[in-house]
Amino acid sequence: MENNNRNTFRKAEHLCLKNDLDALFADGKSFVCFPFRITYRFVEKDGAPAKIVVIAQKKRFKRAYQRVELRRLMRESYRVNKHPLVQALMEKNLGMHIAFVYVDQKIEPYAFFDKKMKLAITKLNAI
């Protein structure tokens, strides 16, 4: 039995199947919570209640080390702040696929990511 208040980001929470990603971007709804564009889709619960993918576009950040840093910052801020969303999905017995796409032109400090991720998760919770 997993303790739901642990700050973990396990493999089961990663959204990586091509079919799931294609369906998310084809059928999902999206909104912007700057600096993220969030695309989400409700699905049958399979394993983790929320599966996510974080995206830093090559179009905006040409250097790989910048994209890697952005993905790490986004994953870390999600990992720390995910509990309200996961709890709400478990109560409703739903599953959700989520894509966080970074749309800003520059890399911000972690405190900025943390604040904006809390706001984004609050908006996702309200849906």
Side-chain angles (χ1 to χ4, degrees), residues 53-105:
V53 62
V54 293
I55 300 169
Q57 297 172 336
K58 190 173 184 179
K59 181 170 107 179
R60 295 183 195 275
F61 296 96
K62 301 295 183 197
R63 304 282 183 202
Y65 74 90
Q66 293 173 323
R67 296 190 301 274
V68 169
E69 181 181 359
L70 284 168
R71 287 193 300 265
R72 284 181 181 162
L73 288 168
M74 286 191 283
R75 275 194 306 264
E76 177 66 10
S77 60
Y78 172 77
R79 181 185 72 83
V80 171
N81 297 304
K82 70 179 179 176
H83 299 297
L85 177 65
V86 171
Q87 196 67 30
L89 288 172
M90 287 177 73
E91 287 171 6
K92 297 175 186 172
N93 201 24
L94 288 173
M96 185 184 268
H97 290 170
I98 309 165
F100 292 97
V101 182
Y102 191 75
V103 295
D104 198 359
Q105 298 289 334

